[in-house]
Amino acid sequence: MKVFLITSSLILIAILAVLGYRADDVKLWLGDITMPLREGMHRSRNVMVPMSDGVRLATDVYRPLGDERRPVIYIRTTYGGIEFSTVRHFVKHNYAVIVQHVRGRFYSEGRYKSPYWTAKQDGYDTIEWLVEQPWSTDKIGTFGCSYLGESQIILAAANHPNHIAMIASGAGGAAGKVKDTFGYFGVFENGVLNLASSLGWFTAEGAKDFKVTPRPDDYEERMRSYMDYLPVSGIADKIVPYDTGFDNLISHSLTDTWWDDEGYTHPDDQFSVATLHINDWFDQTAHNTFKLADHMAENARHPRAKSQPVLIAPGVHCGAGKLKPGEVTIGEMSFEYAGKDFGQTYIDWFDHWLKDKPTDLPPTFEYYSIHSGVWNTSKQWPPASTGDQRFYFMPDNRLEKEPDLNGNPEQSGGVYDEFTYDPLDPVPTLGGPICCTYRPEDKPGPLDQRPLKSRQDVLVYSSEPLEQDMELVGNANVVLYVSTSAPDTDFTVKMVDQYPDGRAFNLQDGVVRLRYRNGIENPSSVKPGRIYRVELEMRPIAYRFRKGHRLEFHISSSNFPRLARNLNTGKDEYSDSETFVATNRVYFGGDTPSSVALPIKTSE
């Protein structure tokens, strides 16, 4: 039958091409009319769904064969489509699936202003339309990763009574001001711009008029060439010839009320949707996933919204469910992975909420511990089986369990390491949650950090070889006592596993901008030379440091281009080009015991 369909289709395409029909249009038409035979489903392409303001959004509708009503999985995208395997999976399990282009994108009408400007209202209006369709039940679920996940969380705050359940993956960028993250679009970290991912996304995907001049043919080369250009506010215009939202992103302070009109989740939002939150350890928004789940459960206005389980896989952005059992490599680090059937997890979740089937709900927290080889569950985060162990940064590159200054009390409070940070020669990004630079060296995940350890502006602190395995589950919390010769500067911290053969793989990193040492809502100037105490909660991870390995931390003041550079002047970091070379210090012992507290698993 398939051979007959293919042969017949090729003949028909040839005939219609001779008659003047475009081959691509003919292929789409043939694909639609043969879909029932090939895939066991109906497809209606570019159904124009009306919004409350009259704008119509292009929506592809996929339905199992037959006339009965079915629950709907609703997917909103700005990228033009999704993998057909996702549609096939849900239709196979007797769901209707709709894939909708956001307004101002592809065949959808309307104006595109910014990523989530109308996400809540347009989603609400679409659900209103869905429940009126003869092939739909009154129970709607939503699904997707990254933008497709963030738009779900924003929609959830609209509390449509028929929006019952959702699966939001890699969606920490929706957090907005929730729990003081100020993590808009996932591109701000403790107040510092994730330059690479924000510039890459907004120049590639953020054109306000989607039908104007296309992306330049040399776009990727432009990204590579202008990434280090100053001021930051001028970069996007040098890369693409159209208006993007990048300058809007960086021209408003993080506490500006402007953000409230952009659609992000707000601390006062309430929720009625049961949500399965999925992310990966090496995603730049993994920490916000935990905060969003907590926030949505706390602000539940319907009992089902108390269900906000979190499922964390060991990969990079939107990698959950894509790894095969056995040895896997993330970045440059290899480990054994115990597989998990994410596809069945999705079906069980939606069957429970949308079909009232007695499927088991996921545990409150489920996560993969790298190098342990197993999935773990917990009722709280961090798990009750963990306890903090503190390590101290010490002279001579030491990381110790006691703040020992070699028995010299006169040195107490006056011992430090220092380095020179030049914004025009920043520490290059090597691994971590890097995205969108189009530079071959910028691979995400754990990479060998040895090329950076010899730099004068990278301080390295290592423990003795571990005498037994040590499993970290949760967020490392760093306390630094620091000073600078500049009006402002950053301190970056990187947690590393040093292997016995010398390889040193980054696990998580973070940044503190001194002007935000009292919180993003309370920026304050820095007095050069004064010692300040700063705290940094690193992104969470579950990771087993094995016997014979060393726990290592790297401290510096830059991680570029993942993080935008602090120019050290105290002026606006994104509109200014002036730089200042800073002498930065990290202090040890006595009244200035710089240290890190690690949540270490103490029992099974």
Side-chain angles (χ1 to χ4, degrees):
M1 175 61 73
K2 286 187 177 180
V3 173
F4 172 75
L5 280 172
I6 293 171
T7 303
S8 301
S9 297
L10 290 174
I11 293 172
L12 185 54
I13 289 171
I15 293 172
L16 292 174
V18 171
L19 295 175
Y21 292 91
R22 292 179 64 246
D24 288 344
D25 292 337
V26 174
K27 288 179 182 178
L28 292 175
W29 173 70
L30 280 174
D32 290 343
I33 65 171
T34 61
M35 185 73 74
L37 286 174
R38 292 185 296 108
E39 299 288 351
M41 70 177 78
H42 298 289
R43 175 171 61 191
S44 300
R45 196 187 303 272
N46 291 328
V47 177
M48 302 305 288
V49 177
M51 301 293 101
S52 54
D53 63 355
V55 169
R56 300 180 304 162
L57 302 187
T59 306
D60 295 341
V61 179
Y62 302 84
R63 297 183 291 112
L65 301 182
D67 296 326
E68 64 264 35
R69 292 177 177 269
R70 297 173 174 87
V72 179
I73 307 300
Y74 171 26
I75 301 171
R76 301 185 77 247
T77 179
T78 188
Y79 301 117
I82 62 168
E83 294 181 359
F84 185 71
S85 59
T86 299
V87 173
R88 182 188 289 120
H89 181 67
F90 287 121
V91 172
K92 176 183 175 182
H93 287 87
N94 212 30
Y95 287 92
V97 177
I98 72 164
V99 180
Q100 184 179 76
H101 306 297
V102 301
R103 65 170 58 204
R105 288 292 184 258
F106 299 93
Y107 294 100
S108 285
E109 299 172 349
R111 170 173 169 254
Y112 177 92
K113 175 178 174 286
S114 57
Y116 302 124
W117 182 44
T118 59
K120 185 183 295 185
Q121 188 61 54
D122 286 352
Y124 191 99
D125 292 344
T126 300
I127 294 177
E128 288 280 273
W129 179 84
L130 280 173
V131 296
E132 296 298 324
Q133 302 310 300
W135 38 264
S136 167
T137 67
D138 62 352
K139 291 187 176 181
I140 310 300
T142 52
F143 180 83
C145 187
S146 194
Y147 182 99
L148 286 66
E150 293 156 2
S151 60
Q152 293 179 68
I153 291 175
I154 290 165
L155 169 59
N159 290 290
H160 194 289
N162 299 96
H163 188 194
I164 306 299
M166 62 189 196
I167 299 177
S169 301
K177 297 177 182 176
V178 166
K179 295 189 176 293
D180 297 324
T181 61
F182 298 92
Y184 309 106
F185 211 63
V187 297
F188 288 98
E189 183 174 324
N190 294 330
V192 180
L193 178 71
N194 282 272
L195 176 65
S197 57
S198 59
L199 183 67
W201 195 93
F202 277 89
T203 55
E205 306 292 345
K208 293 187 177 181
D209 186 346
F210 202 59
K211 299 175 176 62
V212 298
T213 307
R215 202 181 303 168
D217 291 338
D218 62 344
Y219 168 76
E220 294 184 7
E221 179 58 34
R222 287 170 178 251
M223 280 289 297
R224 291 189 288 267
S225 298
Y226 289 108
M227 186 68 68
D228 60 354
Y229 179 84
L230 291 173
V232 171
S233 58
I235 303 179
D237 290 341
K238 290 187 172 295
I239 295 174
V240 293
Y242 45 76
D243 188 17
T244 74
F246 180 73
D247 283 350
N248 287 334
L249 193 77
I250 62 175
S251 63
H252 294 88
S253 72
L254 298 181
T255 55
D256 195 321
T257 55
W258 176 85
W259 296 98
D260 296 337
D261 297 326
E262 292 299 293
Y264 293 96
T265 307
H266 192 273
D268 295 334
D269 285 339
Q270 294 184 312
F271 303 90
S272 302
V273 187
T275 307
L276 173 56
H277 300 263
I278 299 177
N279 215 326
D280 293 88
W281 288 133
F282 299 108
D283 187 295
Q284 70 186 39
T285 68
H287 54 310
N288 286 350
T289 289
F290 286 86
K291 293 181 179 182
L292 277 169
D294 190 30
H295 170 70
M296 294 170 74
E298 288 177 354
N299 288 20
R301 59 181 285 181
H302 189 285
R304 65 172 169 263
K306 290 289 185 182
S307 183
Q308 302 287 331
V310 174
L311 172 59
I312 307 291
V316 296
H317 184 60
C318 290
K322 297 180 180 178
L323 297 177
K324 303 296 183 183
E327 185 176 86
V328 299
T329 300
I330 305 297
E332 295 174 343
M333 184 174 70
S334 299
F335 55 91
E336 287 295 318
Y337 174 64
K340 180 177 179 61
D341 190 346
F342 277 78
Q344 190 59 52
T345 298
Y346 303 155
I347 296 304
D348 287 346
W349 178 258
F350 283 132
D351 279 358
H352 179 93
W353 295 108
L354 304 183
K355 295 182 179 178
D356 297 320
K357 288 188 175 181
T359 61
D360 292 332
L361 290 176
T364 307
F365 297 98
E366 184 173 9
Y367 58 93
Y368 192 79
S369 182
I370 298 171
H371 292 309
S372 75
V374 297
W375 289 90
N376 297 275
T377 63
S378 176
K379 294 181 179 179
Q380 66 183 60
W381 190 263
S385 58
T386 63
D388 280 351
Q389 292 188 22
R390 188 167 293 277
F391 290 78
Y392 293 86
F393 303 111
M394 301 301 296
D396 303 318
N397 307 109
R398 293 179 294 136
L399 187 66
E400 304 281 2
K401 289 188 177 181
E402 297 293 336
D404 177 23
L405 286 173
N406 297 321
N408 189 347
E410 293 82 25
Q411 291 184 325
S412 178
V415 182
Y416 57 82
D417 281 340
E418 73 175 21
F419 59 92
T420 299
Y421 162 48
D422 182 354
L424 298 182
D425 182 26
V427 178
T429 296
L430 188 58
I434 182 72
C435 173
C436 318
T437 67
Y438 303 96
R439 305 190 312 180
E441 66 269 27
D442 288 335
K443 300 177 181 178
L447 300 187
D448 190 349
Q449 301 296 301
R450 282 181 293 183
L452 302 182
K453 292 172 67 172
S454 60
R455 288 181 60 105
Q456 67 80 27
D457 54 355
V458 177
L459 305 179
V460 177
Y461 301 93
S462 300
S463 72
E464 293 297 318
L466 298 176
E467 297 180 356
Q468 60 186 15
D469 287 359
M470 182 178 72
E471 189 163 350
L472 185 156
V473 185
N475 305 73
N477 285 273
V478 180
V479 174
L480 296 180
Y481 290 85
V482 298
S483 69
T484 181
S485 63
D488 188 31
T489 197
D490 290 350
F491 284 90
T492 60
V493 181
K494 189 177 294 183
M495 180 166 59
V496 175
D497 179 359
Q498 182 182 316
Y499 282 40
D501 63 8
R503 288 177 295 162
F505 292 115
N506 57 295
L507 303 178
Q508 295 293 18
D509 61 62
V511 63
V512 172
R513 181 151 288 178
L514 279 191
R515 73 177 67 177
Y516 296 132
R517 64 192 179 278
N518 298 318
I520 292 171
E521 293 180 294
N522 299 294
S524 55
S525 59
V526 174
K527 183 176 181 179
R530 174 176 291 181
I531 298 176
Y532 294 99
R533 181 185 187 275
V534 295
E535 294 189 35
L536 168 63
E537 180 182 80
M538 304 184 79
R539 285 184 299 277
I541 196 169
Y543 186 89
R544 178 170 290 179
F545 291 89
R546 289 164 291 174
K547 179 180 178 180
H549 290 226
R550 295 175 188 263
L551 173 64
E552 193 167 271
F553 281 83
H554 298 178
I555 299 176
S556 188
S557 288
S558 51
N559 183 351
F560 182 81
R562 190 179 90 73
L563 300 175
R565 294 164 288 180
N566 193 321
L567 304 184
N568 293 342
T569 63
K571 300 177 183 179
D572 184 86
E573 58 265 67
Y574 306 129
S575 63
D576 196 43
S577 299
E578 180 185 354
T579 64
F580 181 88
V581 177
T583 298
N584 292 340
R585 292 177 176 178
V586 177
Y587 294 81
F588 314 117
D591 296 330
T592 56
S594 296
S595 64
V596 56
L598 303 177
I600 302 301
K601 195 170 184 179
T602 58
S603 61
E604 295 297 331

